[in-house]
């Protein structure tokens, strides 16, 4: 999520002062999120609690320092986690009975296996990974679980295949579920189902490239760098080898992976920073903001994406899904274009 907020444009000096204040608060959160941070005062932590929750580190700070202002957030996160694990287990059991190989990935996996307590890491969707060959069967089985289309799911299949790495999002018991057939990062398509998506180099590759992709869109949360730091903390003795293996998955992204890691590892304790043998850069709030691009490049990039969208829409209208009427297809394209502009490619 972007760290920028909306301010009153009628008073530039007031806006600038407020912006500096917000930036200073984010820097404070960065410092107290470090694994060797000293215990902050309860007053300071309470004043930063709202911003910490926005950056996905509220549960982590409650785990570390036990601030009363974050207690209700931690309890809500635990309740959400319990509900999502139950739904994920229902899906896993259903798929296993039909011989489908499926894994829980992303936030739910990190909360369970990387964080010291599951409520220390907030989770959004239930993300799962299967193979492209099992995709049709997975879709059919999901529909047997009283699944409903999610309100943000694209309605035209060809658009999903081109822009997304998972089946259209569905809701089970009011929880959003996304069945992935690729781990999507930095516009790469990679399915590490065999032998497993849980090996550390693969997980590190996914976390760093996910951060890169969002840096070019709406900015990043501090919590995503904390994910990387905690994974590195678990494997600090072999971190150099793990990083080398992660880079081999996409050598062209080696420099970008190094850049993300150098900032994420700032959250490690001083002794681990020195022993890991990797370059460490000071993490500042500016690193979490969207990368600024040349306006002409931005215009051309978005124009190309929009033209691509309409080329796909034309294919859908003229060739795909003959069971739907022309009017219904046009309506689907219009609704998807609204979501495409508002939610996906801001």
């Amino acid at each position: 999520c972007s760290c920028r907020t909306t301010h009153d444009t009628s008073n530039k000096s007031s806006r600038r002062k407020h912006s500096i204040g917000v930036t200073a608060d984010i820097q404070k959160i960065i410092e107290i999120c470090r694994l060797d941070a000293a215990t902050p005062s309860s007053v300071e932590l309470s004043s930063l609690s709202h911003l910490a929750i926005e950056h996905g580190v509220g549960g982590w700070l409650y785990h570390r320092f036990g601030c009363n202002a974050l207690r209700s957030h931690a309890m809500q996160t635990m309740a959400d986690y319990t509900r999502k694990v139950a739904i994920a287990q229902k899906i896993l059991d259903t798929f296993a009975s039909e011989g489908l190989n499926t894994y829980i990935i992303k936030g739910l996996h990190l909360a369970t296996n990387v964080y010291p307590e599951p409520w220390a890491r907030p989770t959004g969707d239930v993300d799962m990974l299967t193979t492209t060959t099992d995709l049709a069967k997975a879709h059919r089985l999901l529909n047997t679980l009283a699944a409903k289309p999610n309100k943000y799911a694209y309605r035209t299949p060809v658009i999903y295949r081109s822009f997304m790495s998972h089946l259209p999002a569905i809701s089970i018991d009011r929880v959003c579920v996304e069945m992935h057939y690729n781990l999507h990062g930095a516009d790469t398509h990679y399915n590490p189902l065999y032998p497993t998506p849980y090996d550390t180099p693969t997980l590190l590759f996914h976390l760093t490239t996910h951060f890169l992709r969002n840096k070019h869109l709406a900015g990043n949360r501090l919590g995503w760098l904390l994910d990387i730091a905690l994974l590195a903390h678990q494997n600090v003795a072999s971190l150099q080898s793990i990083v080398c293996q992660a880079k081999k998955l996409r050598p062209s992204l080696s420099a970008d992976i190094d850049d993300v890691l150098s900032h994420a590892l700032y959250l490690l304790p001083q002794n681990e920073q020195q022993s890991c043998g990797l370059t460490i850069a000071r993490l500042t709030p500016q690193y979490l903001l969207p990368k600024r691009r040349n306006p002409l490049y931005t215009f051309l990039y978005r124009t190309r994406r929009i033209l691509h969208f309409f080329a796909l829409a034309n294919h859908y209208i003229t060739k795909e899904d003959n069971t739907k009427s022309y009017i219904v297809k046009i309506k689907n394209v219009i609704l998807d274009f609204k979501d495409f502009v508002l939610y996906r490619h801001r």
Side-chain angles (χ1 to χ4, degrees):
C1 70
S2 175
C3 304
R4 294 178 293 183
T5 54
T6 304
H7 309 294
D8 181 7
T9 56
S10 62
N11 190 330
K12 291 186 178 180
S13 62
S14 173
R15 178 179 60 190
R16 190 179 300 112
K17 182 178 179 182
H18 183 61
S19 176
I20 292 171
V22 169
T23 302
D25 286 345
I26 296 172
Q27 188 64 56
K28 290 178 184 176
I29 293 175
I30 289 172
E31 296 302 326
I32 62 177
C33 275
R34 295 186 62 175
L35 274 64
D36 59 352
T39 304
S41 69
S42 58
V43 174
E44 181 183 27
L45 204 51
S46 295
S47 69
L48 298 172
S49 60
H50 180 70
L51 200 55
I53 292 170
E54 284 186 6
H55 274 272
V57 296
W60 169 251
L61 294 182
Y62 181 74
H63 165 75
R64 289 289 312 282
F65 307 116
C67 174
N68 287 334
L70 294 168
R71 179 179 172 81
S72 61
H73 168 71
M75 293 177 67
Q76 182 62 52
T77 302
M78 187 63 199
D80 289 344
Y81 170 83
T82 303
R83 187 158 56 101
K84 289 167 185 174
V85 165
I87 289 171
Q89 192 59 54
K90 183 194 296 186
I91 295 172
L92 288 174
D93 292 343
T94 302
F95 282 22
S97 67
E98 296 289 333
L100 268 66
N101 199 3
T102 313
Y103 292 95
I104 300 172
I105 58 171
K106 299 177 72 172
L108 211 56
H109 172 70
L110 293 170
T112 305
N113 298 283
V114 175
Y115 279 73
E117 299 286 350
W119 44 260
R121 207 280 186 187
T123 56
D125 309 330
V126 172
D127 295 286
M128 310 191 79
L129 180 70
T130 190
T131 61
T132 51
T133 53
D134 289 336
L135 211 52
K137 193 173 184 180
H139 188 261
R140 177 179 61 80
L141 290 173
L142 284 174
N143 288 331
T144 66
L145 298 173
K148 299 178 181 179
N150 185 270
K151 65 178 180 178
Y152 295 124
Y154 284 141
R155 299 156 186 84
T156 49
V158 66
I159 293 173
Y160 239 96
R161 290 199 299 270
S162 298
F163 290 113
M164 309 302 289
S165 59
H166 53 76
L167 290 173
I170 53 107
S171 292
I172 300 176
D173 297 336
R174 294 181 295 176
V175 171
C176 180
V177 177
E178 292 181 347
M179 182 59 63
H180 290 250
Y181 46 89
N182 284 297
L183 279 179
H184 186 76
D187 294 327
T188 66
H189 288 280
Y190 175 64
N191 188 326
L193 192 61
Y194 300 105
T196 168
Y198 296 152
D199 72 280
T200 306
T202 299
L203 190 54
L204 184 66
F205 171 80
H206 176 59
L207 294 176
T208 50
T209 54
H210 179 268
F211 187 92
L212 283 171
R213 183 172 181 267
N214 282 279
K215 192 170 180 61
H216 292 284
L217 296 174
N220 281 293
R221 298 191 313 182
L222 176 58
W224 293 336
L225 289 180
L226 182 60
D227 293 342
I228 298 170
L230 289 174
L231 183 66
H233 176 65
Q234 286 184 348
N235 301 275
V236 68
S238 55
L239 189 56
Q240 281 185 303
S241 172
I242 290 168
V243 172
C244 289
Q245 293 175 61
K247 290 178 184 177
K248 288 179 182 178
L249 298 176
R250 183 77 184 274
S252 62
L253 290 175
S254 292
D256 291 319
I257 291 172
D258 279 337
D259 180 59
V260 175
L261 276 173
S262 68
H263 289 83
L265 299 184
Y266 178 76
L267 300 174
L268 290 179
Q270 287 281 355
N271 63 319
E272 292 185 7
Q273 289 182 10
Q274 295 167 2
S275 64
C276 72
L278 298 171
T279 304
I280 310 295
R282 180 174 174 80
L283 178 58
T284 64
Q286 286 71 26
Y287 190 72
L288 301 172
L289 297 175
K291 183 179 179 181
R292 294 187 181 276
R293 286 175 167 173
N294 181 291
L296 178 60
Y297 175 86
T298 302
F299 172 76
L300 293 175
Y301 173 81
R302 291 182 176 174
T303 300
R304 180 175 66 85
R305 299 287 280 185
I306 289 172
L307 290 175
H308 185 198
F309 176 93
F310 281 113
L312 295 169
N314 179 64
H315 176 85
Y316 167 71
I317 291 170
T318 57
K319 296 180 180 179
E320 281 205 4
D321 204 348
N322 293 326
T323 61
K324 293 185 177 179
S325 70
Y326 188 79
I327 293 175
V328 169
K329 287 184 176 183
I330 292 291
K331 178 184 175 183
N332 286 344
V333 168
I334 291 172
L335 291 172
D336 278 350
F337 183 69
K338 180 196 72 173
D339 289 348
F340 179 82
V341 171
L342 292 181
Y343 300 110
R344 303 294 182 185
H345 300 283
R346 290 172 287 183

